[in-house]
Short mmCIF file of all heavy atoms in Angstrom, two decimals:
data_model
loop_
_atom_site.label_atom_id
_atom_site.label_comp_id
_atom_site.label_asym_id
_atom_site.label_seq_id
_atom_site.Cartn_x
_atom_site.Cartn_y
_atom_site.Cartn_z
N GLU A 766 169.42 -61.26 -15.50
CA GLU A 766 170.29 -60.82 -16.61
C GLU A 766 171.66 -61.50 -16.56
O GLU A 766 172.27 -61.61 -15.48
CB GLU A 766 170.45 -59.33 -16.60
CG GLU A 766 169.19 -58.57 -16.88
CD GLU A 766 169.50 -57.03 -16.84
OE1 GLU A 766 170.31 -56.63 -16.02
OE2 GLU A 766 168.82 -56.30 -17.59
N LEU A 767 172.15 -61.86 -17.71
CA LEU A 767 173.55 -62.23 -17.87
C LEU A 767 174.10 -61.46 -19.06
O LEU A 767 173.35 -61.03 -19.96
CB LEU A 767 173.66 -63.76 -18.04
CG LEU A 767 173.35 -64.67 -16.89
CD1 LEU A 767 173.33 -66.12 -17.33
CD2 LEU A 767 174.30 -64.44 -15.68
N PHE A 768 175.45 -61.37 -19.14
CA PHE A 768 176.10 -60.65 -20.24
C PHE A 768 177.21 -61.45 -20.81
O PHE A 768 177.77 -62.38 -20.20
CB PHE A 768 176.67 -59.34 -19.61
CG PHE A 768 175.63 -58.49 -18.96
CD1 PHE A 768 175.29 -58.72 -17.62
CD2 PHE A 768 175.00 -57.43 -19.68
CE1 PHE A 768 174.34 -57.88 -17.03
CE2 PHE A 768 174.06 -56.66 -19.02
CZ PHE A 768 173.73 -56.89 -17.73
N PHE A 769 177.59 -61.15 -22.07
CA PHE A 769 178.72 -61.81 -22.71
C PHE A 769 179.31 -60.91 -23.73
O PHE A 769 178.66 -59.97 -24.24
CB PHE A 769 178.31 -63.19 -23.26
CG PHE A 769 177.40 -63.09 -24.50
CD1 PHE A 769 177.97 -63.11 -25.76
CD2 PHE A 769 176.06 -63.02 -24.33
CE1 PHE A 769 177.10 -63.09 -26.89
CE2 PHE A 769 175.21 -62.95 -25.41
CZ PHE A 769 175.74 -62.99 -26.71
N ARG A 770 180.58 -61.17 -24.16
CA ARG A 770 181.27 -60.40 -25.14
C ARG A 770 181.01 -60.99 -26.55
O ARG A 770 180.74 -62.22 -26.66
CB ARG A 770 182.80 -60.45 -24.89
CG ARG A 770 183.23 -59.86 -23.56
CD ARG A 770 182.94 -58.43 -23.47
NE ARG A 770 183.57 -57.83 -22.21
CZ ARG A 770 183.45 -56.56 -21.80
NH1 ARG A 770 182.73 -55.76 -22.61
NH2 ARG A 770 183.96 -56.14 -20.73
N PRO A 771 181.08 -60.19 -27.61
CA PRO A 771 180.72 -60.68 -28.91
C PRO A 771 181.60 -61.89 -29.44
O PRO A 771 181.11 -62.69 -30.19
CB PRO A 771 181.00 -59.43 -29.84
CG PRO A 771 180.81 -58.32 -28.91
CD PRO A 771 181.35 -58.76 -27.53
N GLU A 772 182.84 -61.89 -29.00
CA GLU A 772 183.71 -63.01 -29.41
C GLU A 772 183.49 -64.32 -28.73
O GLU A 772 184.10 -65.35 -29.03
CB GLU A 772 185.17 -62.53 -29.34
CG GLU A 772 185.67 -62.40 -27.90
CD GLU A 772 185.43 -61.05 -27.34
OE1 GLU A 772 184.62 -60.31 -27.90
OE2 GLU A 772 186.04 -60.69 -26.33
N ASP A 773 182.61 -64.31 -27.68
CA ASP A 773 182.38 -65.49 -26.86
C ASP A 773 181.19 -66.35 -27.26
O ASP A 773 180.72 -67.20 -26.52
CB ASP A 773 182.33 -65.14 -25.37
CG ASP A 773 183.65 -64.74 -24.82
OD1 ASP A 773 184.69 -65.33 -25.17
OD2 ASP A 773 183.74 -63.87 -23.97
N ALA A 774 180.58 -65.99 -28.45
CA ALA A 774 179.49 -66.76 -28.98
C ALA A 774 179.97 -67.27 -30.34
O ALA A 774 180.69 -66.72 -31.07
CB ALA A 774 178.24 -65.85 -29.10
N ALA A 775 179.41 -68.47 -30.66
CA ALA A 775 179.60 -69.08 -32.00
C ALA A 775 178.31 -69.41 -32.68
O ALA A 775 177.33 -69.63 -32.01
CB ALA A 775 180.51 -70.34 -31.81
N LEU A 776 178.32 -69.41 -33.98
CA LEU A 776 177.11 -69.78 -34.73
C LEU A 776 177.01 -71.25 -34.83
O LEU A 776 178.04 -72.00 -35.02
CB LEU A 776 177.17 -69.22 -36.18
CG LEU A 776 177.27 -67.68 -36.27
CD1 LEU A 776 177.15 -67.26 -37.77
CD2 LEU A 776 176.20 -66.99 -35.48
N THR A 777 175.79 -71.82 -34.63
CA THR A 777 175.60 -73.23 -34.70
C THR A 777 174.29 -73.52 -35.56
O THR A 777 173.58 -72.59 -35.95
CB THR A 777 175.31 -73.77 -33.26
OG1 THR A 777 174.21 -73.07 -32.69
CG2 THR A 777 176.61 -73.68 -32.45
N ASP A 778 174.06 -74.75 -35.79
CA ASP A 778 172.85 -75.20 -36.52
C ASP A 778 171.63 -74.78 -35.67
O ASP A 778 171.44 -75.35 -34.55
CB ASP A 778 172.93 -76.66 -36.80
CG ASP A 778 171.69 -77.23 -37.56
OD1 ASP A 778 170.80 -76.42 -37.80
OD2 ASP A 778 171.65 -78.37 -37.79
N PRO A 779 170.69 -73.96 -36.19
CA PRO A 779 169.57 -73.57 -35.43
C PRO A 779 168.68 -74.74 -34.96
O PRO A 779 168.05 -74.68 -33.89
CB PRO A 779 168.78 -72.63 -36.29
CG PRO A 779 169.34 -72.82 -37.65
CD PRO A 779 170.71 -73.33 -37.51
N ALA A 780 168.64 -75.85 -35.78
CA ALA A 780 167.86 -76.97 -35.43
C ALA A 780 168.36 -77.72 -34.15
O ALA A 780 167.56 -78.40 -33.55
CB ALA A 780 167.79 -77.94 -36.62
N ALA A 781 169.60 -77.54 -33.90
CA ALA A 781 170.19 -78.29 -32.75
C ALA A 781 170.70 -77.36 -31.67
O ALA A 781 171.49 -77.74 -30.77
CB ALA A 781 171.31 -79.17 -33.15
N SER A 782 170.17 -76.13 -31.62
CA SER A 782 170.71 -75.08 -30.66
C SER A 782 169.71 -74.79 -29.58
O SER A 782 168.49 -74.78 -29.83
CB SER A 782 171.00 -73.76 -31.44
OG SER A 782 171.99 -74.00 -32.40
N HIS A 783 170.27 -74.42 -28.41
CA HIS A 783 169.43 -73.99 -27.31
C HIS A 783 168.84 -72.63 -27.56
O HIS A 783 167.81 -72.27 -27.09
CB HIS A 783 170.30 -73.93 -26.01
CG HIS A 783 170.57 -75.31 -25.44
ND1 HIS A 783 169.60 -76.04 -24.80
CD2 HIS A 783 171.72 -76.04 -25.43
CE1 HIS A 783 170.17 -77.21 -24.36
NE2 HIS A 783 171.49 -77.19 -24.71
N LEU A 784 169.68 -71.78 -28.27
CA LEU A 784 169.31 -70.37 -28.47
C LEU A 784 169.30 -70.08 -30.00
O LEU A 784 170.21 -70.38 -30.72
CB LEU A 784 170.33 -69.50 -27.79
CG LEU A 784 170.05 -67.99 -27.66
CD1 LEU A 784 168.77 -67.73 -26.94
CD2 LEU A 784 171.20 -67.27 -26.98
N ARG A 785 168.24 -69.41 -30.47
CA ARG A 785 168.09 -69.18 -31.86
C ARG A 785 167.76 -67.74 -32.14
O ARG A 785 167.03 -67.06 -31.35
CB ARG A 785 167.03 -70.14 -32.49
CG ARG A 785 167.42 -71.61 -32.52
CD ARG A 785 166.23 -72.45 -32.81
NE ARG A 785 165.20 -72.42 -31.73
CZ ARG A 785 165.28 -72.98 -30.55
NH1 ARG A 785 166.37 -73.72 -30.28
NH2 ARG A 785 164.32 -72.86 -29.68
N GLY A 786 168.17 -67.26 -33.35
CA GLY A 786 167.83 -65.85 -33.73
C GLY A 786 167.93 -65.72 -35.23
O GLY A 786 168.17 -66.71 -35.96
N VAL A 787 167.77 -64.44 -35.71
CA VAL A 787 167.82 -64.17 -37.18
C VAL A 787 168.79 -63.03 -37.36
O VAL A 787 168.83 -62.03 -36.62
CB VAL A 787 166.45 -63.82 -37.68
CG1 VAL A 787 166.48 -63.36 -39.09
CG2 VAL A 787 165.46 -64.92 -37.47
N ILE A 788 169.60 -63.13 -38.36
CA ILE A 788 170.59 -62.06 -38.74
C ILE A 788 169.84 -60.88 -39.19
O ILE A 788 169.10 -60.89 -40.18
CB ILE A 788 171.64 -62.53 -39.71
CG1 ILE A 788 172.49 -63.68 -39.16
CG2 ILE A 788 172.53 -61.42 -40.18
CD1 ILE A 788 173.52 -64.27 -40.01
N GLU A 789 170.06 -59.70 -38.60
CA GLU A 789 169.45 -58.47 -38.94
C GLU A 789 170.43 -57.58 -39.79
O GLU A 789 170.08 -56.80 -40.61
CB GLU A 789 168.98 -57.68 -37.70
CG GLU A 789 167.87 -58.33 -36.95
CD GLU A 789 167.45 -57.51 -35.77
OE1 GLU A 789 168.19 -56.60 -35.38
OE2 GLU A 789 166.37 -57.77 -35.25
N GLN A 790 171.70 -57.77 -39.47
CA GLN A 790 172.76 -56.96 -40.16
C GLN A 790 174.04 -57.72 -40.14
O GLN A 790 174.40 -58.37 -39.06
CB GLN A 790 172.92 -55.60 -39.54
CG GLN A 790 173.88 -54.68 -40.18
CD GLN A 790 173.82 -53.30 -39.68
OE1 GLN A 790 172.86 -52.86 -38.99
NE2 GLN A 790 174.91 -52.50 -39.86
N ALA A 791 174.87 -57.64 -41.19
CA ALA A 791 176.23 -58.19 -41.20
C ALA A 791 177.15 -57.13 -41.70
O ALA A 791 177.01 -56.53 -42.79
CB ALA A 791 176.30 -59.39 -42.09
N THR A 792 178.13 -56.73 -40.89
CA THR A 792 179.11 -55.72 -41.20
C THR A 792 180.52 -56.26 -41.37
O THR A 792 181.05 -56.80 -40.42
CB THR A 792 179.15 -54.63 -40.13
OG1 THR A 792 177.82 -54.08 -39.99
CG2 THR A 792 180.05 -53.46 -40.59
N PHE A 793 181.07 -56.24 -42.59
CA PHE A 793 182.38 -56.78 -42.78
C PHE A 793 183.42 -55.75 -42.29
O PHE A 793 183.41 -54.63 -42.71
CB PHE A 793 182.62 -56.98 -44.32
CG PHE A 793 183.96 -57.49 -44.69
CD1 PHE A 793 184.42 -58.69 -44.25
CD2 PHE A 793 184.80 -56.75 -45.50
CE1 PHE A 793 185.67 -59.19 -44.54
CE2 PHE A 793 186.09 -57.20 -45.81
CZ PHE A 793 186.50 -58.41 -45.33
N LEU A 794 184.32 -56.24 -41.43
CA LEU A 794 185.32 -55.33 -40.77
C LEU A 794 186.79 -55.83 -41.12
O LEU A 794 187.67 -55.49 -40.39
CB LEU A 794 185.12 -55.26 -39.34
CG LEU A 794 183.81 -54.75 -38.85
CD1 LEU A 794 183.68 -54.90 -37.26
CD2 LEU A 794 183.61 -53.32 -39.27
N GLY A 795 186.89 -56.60 -42.20
CA GLY A 795 188.21 -57.07 -42.52
C GLY A 795 188.54 -58.43 -41.88
O GLY A 795 188.23 -59.44 -42.45
N GLU A 796 189.16 -58.37 -40.78
CA GLU A 796 189.62 -59.63 -40.10
C GLU A 796 188.37 -60.34 -39.44
O GLU A 796 188.50 -61.47 -39.03
CB GLU A 796 190.62 -59.33 -39.08
CG GLU A 796 190.20 -58.73 -37.67
CD GLU A 796 189.92 -57.29 -37.76
OE1 GLU A 796 190.07 -56.68 -38.88
OE2 GLU A 796 189.53 -56.67 -36.73
N ARG A 797 187.23 -59.65 -39.31
CA ARG A 797 186.02 -60.25 -38.75
C ARG A 797 184.81 -59.61 -39.37
O ARG A 797 184.86 -58.57 -39.97
CB ARG A 797 186.01 -60.08 -37.23
CG ARG A 797 185.73 -58.57 -36.75
CD ARG A 797 185.94 -58.46 -35.27
NE ARG A 797 185.45 -57.20 -34.78
CZ ARG A 797 186.07 -56.01 -34.85
NH1 ARG A 797 187.27 -56.00 -35.38
NH2 ARG A 797 185.52 -54.95 -34.32
N THR A 798 183.70 -60.42 -39.18
CA THR A 798 182.38 -59.83 -39.55
C THR A 798 181.55 -59.71 -38.38
O THR A 798 181.46 -60.64 -37.53
CB THR A 798 181.70 -60.76 -40.63
OG1 THR A 798 182.45 -60.80 -41.84
CG2 THR A 798 180.31 -60.33 -40.87
N ARG A 799 181.00 -58.57 -38.13
CA ARG A 799 180.14 -58.32 -36.97
C ARG A 799 178.66 -58.49 -37.34
O ARG A 799 178.15 -57.80 -38.21
CB ARG A 799 180.43 -56.89 -36.44
CG ARG A 799 179.55 -56.52 -35.27
CD ARG A 799 180.16 -55.50 -34.35
NE ARG A 799 181.18 -56.14 -33.50
CZ ARG A 799 181.76 -55.55 -32.41
NH1 ARG A 799 181.42 -54.31 -32.12
NH2 ARG A 799 182.62 -56.18 -31.73
#
């Protein structure tokens, strides 16, 4: 297991990424979207 904080990941092109997933939920929080 490894762990990371939400702000330490960035979105990239899934075709060129080591790690891929699908957005299940997007919550607008003003200065950021979670």
Side-chain angles (χ1 to χ4, degrees):
E766 294 179 324
L767 292 173
F768 302 85
F769 70 95
R770 301 292 187 185
E772 67 273 17
D773 288 324
L776 299 186
T777 57
D778 180 358
S782 298
H783 286 288
L784 187 63
R785 293 167 295 281
V787 175
I788 294 176
E789 295 181 343
Q790 184 175 338
T792 305
F793 177 64
L794 300 174
E796 78 282 0
R797 70 188 191 279
T798 295
R799 174 153 285 191

